[in-house]
Amino acid sequence: MTEKIGYGVFGLGVGRSHVSGALKADGCAFVAICDIHEATLHRVGDEYGIAPENRYTSFDEMLRRPDIAAVSICTPSGMHRDHAIKAMKAGKHVLTEKPLEIRLERIDEMLAVAEEERRLLGCVFQSRLAPAYRFVKETIDSGRMGKLITCNFHLKWYREDSYYRKNGGWRGTWAMDGGGAIMNQTVHTVDLMQWLMGPVSSIFAKTGTYTHDIETEDTAVAAVTFENGAIGTLIGTTCAYPGLEVSVQIHGAKGSIYMSNQRIVLFKMADDDSDFSEEKRVLELYGPNRPKEADAQAGIKTGHAGQVQDMIDAVIQGRPPLIEGREGRAAVEIIQALYESAKSGREISLPYQPEVVGV
Ligand SMILES: NC(=O)c1ccc[n+]([C@@H]2O[C@H](COP(=O)([O-])OP(=O)(O)OC[C@H]3O[C@@H](n4cnc5c(N)ncnc54)[C@H](O)[C@@H]3O)[C@@H](O)[C@H]2O)c1
Protein backbone atom coordinates (compact mmCIF):
# COMPACT_ATOMS: atom_id res chain seq x y z
CA MET A 1 0.00 0.00 0.00
CA THR A 2 1.31 3.47 -0.81
CA GLU A 3 2.28 5.66 2.12
CA LYS A 4 -0.19 8.34 3.20
CA ILE A 5 0.44 11.34 5.42
CA GLY A 6 -1.70 13.71 7.49
CA TYR A 7 -1.70 17.30 6.15
CA GLY A 8 -2.45 20.47 8.14
CA VAL A 9 -3.47 23.90 6.85
CA PHE A 10 -3.00 27.01 9.01
CA GLY A 11 -4.91 30.15 7.97
CA LEU A 12 -8.13 29.70 6.06
CA GLY A 13 -8.35 32.57 3.58
CA VAL A 14 -6.46 31.34 0.52
CA GLY A 15 -5.76 28.33 2.77
CA ARG A 16 -9.14 26.99 1.57
CA SER A 17 -7.44 26.18 -1.77
CA HIS A 18 -4.80 24.19 0.15
CA VAL A 19 -7.58 22.32 1.98
CA SER A 20 -9.39 21.41 -1.23
CA GLY A 21 -6.08 20.46 -2.89
CA ALA A 22 -5.01 18.27 0.04
CA LEU A 23 -8.40 16.53 0.25
CA LYS A 24 -8.01 15.44 -3.39
CA ALA A 25 -4.28 14.70 -3.21
CA ASP A 26 -2.89 11.20 -3.67
CA GLY A 27 -1.00 10.24 -0.54
CA CYS A 28 -3.09 12.39 1.83
CA ALA A 29 -4.57 10.39 4.73
CA PHE A 30 -6.58 13.26 6.23
CA VAL A 31 -6.65 17.06 6.40
CA ALA A 32 -6.54 19.04 9.64
CA ILE A 33 -7.31 22.77 9.65
CA CYS A 34 -6.45 25.63 11.98
CA ASP A 35 -7.54 29.26 12.21
CA ILE A 36 -7.57 31.55 15.22
CA HIS A 37 -10.92 32.86 14.04
CA GLU A 38 -13.38 30.22 15.24
CA ALA A 39 -16.23 31.19 12.90
CA THR A 40 -13.88 30.91 9.90
CA LEU A 41 -12.60 27.55 11.16
CA HIS A 42 -16.06 26.03 11.32
CA ARG A 43 -17.34 27.66 8.14
CA VAL A 44 -14.45 26.16 6.19
CA GLY A 45 -14.61 22.90 8.16
CA ASP A 46 -18.31 22.48 7.34
CA GLU A 47 -17.78 23.45 3.69
CA TYR A 48 -15.13 20.75 3.21
CA GLY A 49 -16.53 18.14 5.60
CA ILE A 50 -13.53 18.26 7.97
CA ALA A 51 -14.15 16.06 11.04
CA PRO A 52 -14.55 18.03 14.32
CA GLU A 53 -11.45 16.32 15.80
CA ASN A 54 -9.36 17.73 12.92
CA ARG A 55 -10.30 21.37 13.55
CA TYR A 56 -8.08 23.61 15.68
CA THR A 57 -8.01 27.19 16.89
CA SER A 58 -4.56 26.57 18.43
CA PHE A 59 -1.64 26.06 16.03
CA ASP A 60 0.45 24.54 18.87
CA GLU A 61 -2.22 21.96 19.47
CA MET A 62 -2.41 21.01 15.79
CA LEU A 63 1.39 20.76 15.67
CA ARG A 64 1.39 18.29 18.58
CA ARG A 65 -0.29 15.71 16.34
CA PRO A 66 2.38 13.15 15.42
CA ASP A 67 0.29 11.90 12.49
CA ILE A 68 0.57 15.26 10.67
CA ALA A 69 3.74 15.24 8.54
CA ALA A 70 3.38 18.53 6.65
CA VAL A 71 1.55 21.84 6.97
CA SER A 72 0.69 24.76 4.71
CA ILE A 73 1.26 28.20 6.24
CA CYS A 74 -1.42 30.55 4.86
CA THR A 75 -1.44 33.30 7.49
CA PRO A 76 -0.68 36.97 6.71
CA SER A 77 2.75 37.30 5.07
CA GLY A 78 4.54 38.98 8.01
CA MET A 79 3.73 35.96 10.20
CA HIS A 80 5.21 33.30 7.93
CA ARG A 81 8.62 33.14 9.62
CA ASP A 82 7.23 32.57 13.11
CA HIS A 83 4.65 30.05 11.98
CA ALA A 84 6.95 28.15 9.60
CA ILE A 85 9.77 27.94 12.15
CA LYS A 86 7.40 26.76 14.87
CA ALA A 87 6.09 24.05 12.53
CA MET A 88 9.56 22.90 11.43
CA LYS A 89 10.76 22.77 15.05
CA ALA A 90 7.71 20.60 15.78
CA GLY A 91 8.98 18.20 13.09
CA LYS A 92 6.67 19.19 10.24
CA HIS A 93 7.59 19.84 6.62
CA VAL A 94 6.29 23.22 5.48
CA LEU A 95 4.73 24.72 2.37
CA THR A 96 4.49 28.50 2.81
CA GLU A 97 2.30 30.85 0.84
CA LYS A 98 3.91 33.59 -1.20
CA PRO A 99 5.81 35.68 -0.34
CA LEU A 100 7.90 33.22 1.67
CA GLU A 101 8.31 36.08 4.15
CA ILE A 102 8.47 39.85 3.75
CA ARG A 103 12.15 40.37 4.64
CA LEU A 104 15.30 38.57 3.59
CA GLU A 105 16.81 38.18 7.06
CA ARG A 106 13.65 36.39 8.19
CA ILE A 107 13.78 34.13 5.14
CA ASP A 108 17.39 33.32 5.98
CA GLU A 109 16.29 32.27 9.47
CA MET A 110 13.64 30.01 7.94
CA LEU A 111 16.16 28.44 5.55
CA ALA A 112 18.60 27.87 8.42
CA VAL A 113 15.96 26.14 10.55
CA ALA A 114 14.89 23.97 7.59
CA GLU A 115 18.49 22.84 7.25
CA GLU A 116 19.06 22.32 10.99
CA GLU A 117 15.83 20.37 11.43
CA ARG A 118 16.23 18.63 8.06
CA ARG A 119 12.69 19.64 7.08
CA LEU A 120 11.44 20.50 3.57
CA LEU A 121 10.50 24.15 3.04
CA GLY A 122 8.50 24.96 -0.10
CA CYS A 123 7.04 28.19 -1.41
CA VAL A 124 3.77 28.68 -3.30
CA PHE A 125 4.14 30.22 -6.75
CA GLN A 126 1.37 28.32 -8.46
CA SER A 127 1.66 30.15 -11.81
CA ARG A 128 4.81 28.12 -12.48
CA LEU A 129 2.66 25.00 -12.74
CA ALA A 130 0.57 26.37 -15.60
CA PRO A 131 1.36 24.26 -18.70
CA ALA A 132 1.85 27.38 -20.87
CA TYR A 133 4.49 28.78 -18.51
CA ARG A 134 6.23 25.41 -18.34
CA PHE A 135 6.30 25.30 -22.14
CA VAL A 136 7.74 28.84 -22.32
CA LYS A 137 10.38 27.89 -19.76
CA GLU A 138 11.37 24.81 -21.82
CA THR A 139 11.49 26.91 -25.00
CA ILE A 140 13.80 29.52 -23.44
CA ASP A 141 16.03 26.91 -21.76
CA SER A 142 16.39 25.00 -25.05
CA GLY A 143 18.18 28.04 -26.47
CA ARG A 144 15.75 28.33 -29.42
CA MET A 145 15.06 31.99 -28.72
CA GLY A 146 18.75 32.82 -28.90
CA LYS A 147 20.27 35.46 -26.71
CA LEU A 148 17.60 37.07 -24.53
CA ILE A 149 17.27 40.78 -25.34
CA THR A 150 14.30 42.33 -23.57
CA CYS A 151 11.03 41.60 -21.76
CA ASN A 152 7.97 43.15 -20.14
CA PHE A 153 6.41 41.59 -17.05
CA HIS A 154 3.31 43.66 -16.29
CA LEU A 155 0.57 43.03 -13.74
CA LYS A 156 -2.41 45.40 -14.16
CA TRP A 157 -4.91 44.52 -11.47
CA TYR A 158 -7.53 46.44 -9.53
CA ARG A 159 -8.39 46.40 -5.85
CA GLU A 160 -11.07 48.48 -4.13
CA ASP A 161 -10.00 50.43 -1.08
CA SER A 162 -12.23 48.11 0.98
CA TYR A 163 -9.90 45.20 0.06
CA TYR A 164 -7.15 46.86 2.10
CA ARG A 165 -9.41 47.42 5.13
CA LYS A 166 -10.85 43.94 5.52
CA ASN A 167 -9.47 41.03 7.60
CA GLY A 168 -7.93 43.35 10.17
CA GLY A 169 -6.36 45.60 7.52
CA TRP A 170 -3.01 43.74 7.24
CA ARG A 171 -2.75 44.24 3.49
CA GLY A 172 -0.89 47.33 2.28
CA THR A 173 1.04 47.63 5.58
CA TRP A 174 4.83 47.42 5.82
CA ALA A 175 4.64 45.33 8.99
CA MET A 176 2.40 42.52 7.73
CA ASP A 177 2.32 42.73 3.91
CA GLY A 178 5.92 43.95 3.55
CA GLY A 179 4.84 46.24 0.71
CA GLY A 180 1.83 46.74 -1.53
CA ALA A 181 1.09 45.93 -5.16
CA ILE A 182 4.57 44.51 -5.69
CA MET A 183 5.12 42.41 -2.55
CA ASN A 184 1.57 41.11 -2.43
CA GLN A 185 0.26 40.76 -6.00
CA THR A 186 3.26 41.21 -8.34
CA VAL A 187 5.48 38.82 -6.36
CA HIS A 188 4.13 36.05 -8.62
CA THR A 189 5.19 38.02 -11.71
CA VAL A 190 8.59 38.82 -10.19
CA ASP A 191 9.09 35.10 -9.58
CA LEU A 192 8.13 34.26 -13.17
CA MET A 193 10.46 36.99 -14.44
CA GLN A 194 13.52 35.65 -12.67
CA TRP A 195 12.57 32.02 -13.37
CA LEU A 196 12.19 32.63 -17.12
CA MET A 197 14.75 35.38 -17.79
CA GLY A 198 17.40 34.35 -15.25
CA PRO A 199 18.85 36.14 -12.23
CA VAL A 200 18.49 39.92 -11.92
CA SER A 201 21.69 41.96 -11.63
CA SER A 202 20.20 45.41 -10.96
CA ILE A 203 16.93 47.31 -10.67
CA PHE A 204 15.89 50.95 -10.91
CA ALA A 205 12.35 51.71 -9.76
CA LYS A 206 9.74 54.34 -9.05
CA THR A 207 6.75 53.65 -6.84
CA GLY A 208 3.67 55.63 -5.85
CA THR A 209 0.40 55.38 -3.95
CA TYR A 210 -2.26 56.69 -6.29
CA THR A 211 -5.80 55.63 -5.37
CA HIS A 212 -5.65 53.79 -2.04
CA ASP A 213 -5.38 54.94 1.54
CA ILE A 214 -2.43 52.64 2.41
CA GLU A 215 1.15 52.99 3.74
CA THR A 216 2.73 51.11 0.86
CA GLU A 217 2.79 51.49 -2.93
CA ASP A 218 -0.18 50.62 -5.13
CA THR A 219 1.88 51.09 -8.30
CA ALA A 220 5.49 50.51 -9.29
CA VAL A 221 7.49 50.67 -12.50
CA ALA A 222 11.03 49.31 -12.75
CA ALA A 223 13.81 48.94 -15.28
CA VAL A 224 15.48 45.58 -14.73
CA THR A 225 18.88 44.34 -15.89
CA PHE A 226 19.56 40.61 -15.92
CA GLU A 227 22.86 38.81 -15.37
CA ASN A 228 22.71 37.58 -18.99
CA GLY A 229 22.70 41.21 -20.19
CA ALA A 230 18.99 41.42 -21.12
CA ILE A 231 17.02 44.49 -20.01
CA GLY A 232 13.29 44.69 -19.30
CA THR A 233 10.43 46.38 -17.52
CA LEU A 234 8.42 45.30 -14.52
CA ILE A 235 5.11 47.02 -13.73
CA GLY A 236 2.71 46.19 -10.92
CA THR A 237 -0.41 48.05 -9.95
CA THR A 238 -3.69 47.50 -8.12
CA CYS A 239 -5.14 50.67 -9.71
CA ALA A 240 -5.86 49.40 -13.24
CA TYR A 241 -9.65 49.62 -13.44
CA PRO A 242 -11.50 47.26 -13.77
CA GLY A 243 -8.67 44.74 -13.25
CA LEU A 244 -6.83 43.66 -16.38
CA GLU A 245 -4.20 41.12 -17.26
CA VAL A 246 -0.77 39.86 -16.38
CA SER A 247 1.10 40.29 -19.65
CA VAL A 248 4.51 38.81 -20.31
CA GLN A 249 6.44 39.59 -23.48
CA ILE A 250 9.85 38.06 -24.11
CA HIS A 251 12.17 38.77 -27.02
CA GLY A 252 15.26 36.77 -27.86
CA ALA A 253 17.50 37.33 -30.88
CA LYS A 254 15.75 34.38 -32.59
CA GLY A 255 12.21 34.46 -31.26
CA SER A 256 9.39 36.26 -29.45
CA ILE A 257 6.67 35.03 -27.11
CA TYR A 258 3.70 37.02 -25.79
CA MET A 259 1.51 35.77 -22.96
CA SER A 260 -1.73 37.07 -21.52
CA ASN A 261 -2.51 35.68 -18.09
CA GLN A 262 -1.54 32.03 -18.33
CA ARG A 263 -2.03 31.69 -22.09
CA ILE A 264 0.37 32.10 -25.02
CA VAL A 265 -0.99 34.66 -27.52
CA LEU A 266 2.04 34.99 -29.85
CA PHE A 267 4.81 32.52 -30.64
CA LYS A 268 7.28 33.45 -33.39
CA MET A 269 10.49 31.46 -33.79
CA ALA A 270 13.14 32.16 -36.43
CA ASP A 271 13.86 28.43 -36.82
CA ASP A 272 10.22 27.63 -37.56
CA ASP A 273 10.31 26.65 -41.23
CA SER A 274 6.73 25.38 -41.14
CA ASP A 275 5.15 28.60 -42.45
CA PHE A 276 3.93 29.56 -38.98
CA SER A 277 1.89 26.41 -38.48
CA GLU A 278 3.96 25.80 -35.34
CA GLU A 279 2.53 28.99 -33.86
CA LYS A 280 -0.97 27.73 -34.70
CA ARG A 281 -0.26 24.43 -32.93
CA VAL A 282 1.26 26.17 -29.89
CA LEU A 283 -1.74 28.51 -29.61
CA GLU A 284 -4.13 25.58 -29.90
CA LEU A 285 -2.32 23.86 -27.03
CA TYR A 286 -1.57 26.85 -24.80
CA GLY A 287 -3.62 29.74 -26.21
CA PRO A 288 -6.75 31.52 -24.97
CA ASN A 289 -9.03 28.78 -26.31
CA ARG A 290 -7.39 25.99 -24.28
CA PRO A 291 -10.41 24.54 -22.43
CA LYS A 292 -10.42 25.05 -18.68
CA GLU A 293 -10.83 21.32 -18.14
CA ALA A 294 -7.86 20.42 -20.41
CA ASP A 295 -5.40 20.12 -17.51
CA ALA A 296 -7.70 17.91 -15.44
CA GLN A 297 -8.41 15.72 -18.49
CA ALA A 298 -4.69 15.33 -19.08
CA GLY A 299 -4.27 14.37 -15.39
CA ILE A 300 -2.24 17.55 -14.68
CA LYS A 301 -2.77 19.21 -11.31
CA THR A 302 -2.19 22.95 -11.50
CA GLY A 303 -2.60 25.86 -9.09
CA HIS A 304 -2.69 25.26 -5.37
CA ALA A 305 -3.84 21.65 -5.83
CA GLY A 306 -0.69 21.01 -7.86
CA GLN A 307 1.59 22.56 -5.27
CA VAL A 308 0.01 20.69 -2.36
CA GLN A 309 0.25 17.42 -4.33
CA ASP A 310 3.91 18.15 -5.05
CA MET A 311 4.59 18.83 -1.36
CA ILE A 312 2.93 15.57 -0.29
CA ASP A 313 4.85 13.66 -2.98
CA ALA A 314 8.09 15.36 -1.88
CA VAL A 315 7.54 14.27 1.75
CA ILE A 316 6.70 10.69 0.80
CA GLN A 317 9.51 10.38 -1.75
CA GLY A 318 12.06 12.25 0.40
CA ARG A 319 12.91 14.75 -2.35
CA PRO A 320 12.85 18.56 -2.41
CA PRO A 321 9.59 20.29 -3.39
CA LEU A 322 9.29 21.76 -6.89
CA ILE A 323 9.69 25.32 -5.61
CA GLU A 324 12.13 25.37 -2.72
CA GLY A 325 12.46 28.04 -0.06
CA ARG A 326 15.57 29.56 -1.62
CA GLU A 327 13.58 30.26 -4.81
CA GLY A 328 11.03 32.08 -2.69
CA ARG A 329 13.98 34.13 -1.41
CA ALA A 330 14.97 35.25 -4.92
CA ALA A 331 11.69 37.09 -5.56
CA VAL A 332 11.81 38.86 -2.19
CA GLU A 333 15.41 39.94 -2.78
CA ILE A 334 14.39 41.59 -6.08
CA ILE A 335 11.41 43.28 -4.42
CA GLN A 336 13.41 44.61 -1.48
CA ALA A 337 15.97 45.99 -3.96
CA LEU A 338 13.10 47.59 -5.91
CA TYR A 339 11.83 49.32 -2.77
CA GLU A 340 15.33 50.47 -1.88
CA SER A 341 15.75 51.91 -5.38
CA ALA A 342 12.43 53.79 -5.23
CA LYS A 343 13.33 55.17 -1.79
CA SER A 344 16.89 56.20 -2.61
CA GLY A 345 16.51 57.19 -6.27
CA ARG A 346 19.48 54.92 -7.08
CA GLU A 347 19.85 51.84 -9.21
CA ILE A 348 20.38 48.90 -6.83
CA SER A 349 22.64 45.96 -7.62
CA LEU A 350 21.99 42.39 -6.58
CA PRO A 351 22.92 40.42 -4.48
CA TYR A 352 21.19 42.90 -2.22
CA GLN A 353 21.89 43.50 1.46
CA PRO A 354 18.78 45.26 2.73
CA GLU A 355 18.58 48.38 4.80
CA VAL A 356 15.37 48.71 6.80
CA VAL A 357 12.60 49.67 4.37
CA GLY A 358 9.26 51.09 5.46
CA VAL A 359 9.08 49.56 8.93
N1 LIG B 1 -0.85 32.12 -3.96
C1 LIG B 1 -1.84 32.97 -4.09
O1 LIG B 1 -2.39 33.14 -5.17
C2 LIG B 1 -2.31 33.73 -2.88
C3 LIG B 1 -3.56 34.36 -2.92
C4 LIG B 1 -3.98 35.06 -1.80
C5 LIG B 1 -3.16 35.14 -0.68
N2 LIG B 1 -1.94 34.55 -0.69
C6 LIG B 1 -1.04 34.65 0.49
O2 LIG B 1 -1.61 33.87 1.55
C7 LIG B 1 -1.42 34.50 2.82
C8 LIG B 1 -2.77 34.76 3.46
O3 LIG B 1 -3.49 35.65 2.64
P1 LIG B 1 -5.10 35.63 2.63
O4 LIG B 1 -5.50 36.49 1.50
O5 LIG B 1 -5.61 34.25 2.72
O6 LIG B 1 -5.36 36.38 4.01
P2 LIG B 1 -6.70 36.36 4.88
O7 LIG B 1 -6.62 37.52 5.78
O8 LIG B 1 -7.88 36.19 3.95
O9 LIG B 1 -6.59 34.98 5.68
C9 LIG B 1 -5.62 34.78 6.68
C10 LIG B 1 -6.21 33.80 7.68
O10 LIG B 1 -5.21 33.55 8.65
C11 LIG B 1 -5.88 33.49 9.91
N3 LIG B 1 -4.89 33.57 10.97
C12 LIG B 1 -4.30 32.50 11.54
N4 LIG B 1 -3.47 32.84 12.50
C13 LIG B 1 -3.49 34.14 12.59
C14 LIG B 1 -2.86 35.03 13.43
N5 LIG B 1 -1.98 34.61 14.37
N6 LIG B 1 -3.14 36.33 13.26
C15 LIG B 1 -4.00 36.72 12.29
N7 LIG B 1 -4.62 35.89 11.44
C16 LIG B 1 -4.37 34.61 11.62
C17 LIG B 1 -6.94 34.57 9.83
O11 LIG B 1 -7.98 34.36 10.79
C18 LIG B 1 -7.43 34.38 8.41
O12 LIG B 1 -8.49 33.43 8.33
C19 LIG B 1 -0.61 35.76 2.52
O13 LIG B 1 0.75 35.51 2.70
C20 LIG B 1 -0.91 36.05 1.04
O14 LIG B 1 0.14 36.74 0.39
C21 LIG B 1 -1.52 33.83 -1.77
Side-chain angles (χ1 to χ4, degrees), residues 14 35 74-75 77 79-80 97-98 126 167 170-171 304:
V14 76
D35 200 292
C74 307
T75 48
S77 307
M79 301 177 187
H80 291 176
E97 262 299 346
K98 62 77 197 163
Q126 75 271 20
N167 298 7
W170 67 270
R171 299 185 181 97
H304 285 95

Side-chain angles (χ1 to χ4, degrees), residues 10-16 18 34-38 40-41 43 57 59 73-80 83 96-100 124-127 157 163 166-168 170-171 176-177 183-185 187-188 304 307:
F10 184 33
L12 298 171
V14 76
R16 292 169 70 260
H18 292 243
C34 177
D35 200 292
I36 50 160
H37 194 246
E38 203 166 345
T40 304
L41 177 74
R43 184 170 37 76
T57 49
F59 190 39
I73 304 295
C74 307
T75 48
S77 307
M79 301 177 187
H80 291 176
H83 293 153
T96 302
E97 262 299 346
K98 62 77 197 163
L100 193 59
V124 174
F125 279 129
Q126 75 271 20
S127 303
W157 284 0
Y163 162 84
K166 66 184 183 190
N167 298 7
W170 67 270
R171 299 185 181 97
M176 279 298 142
D177 214 354
M183 186 65 95
N184 190 318
Q185 285 78 24
V187 64
H188 287 289
H304 285 95
Q307 284 225 244

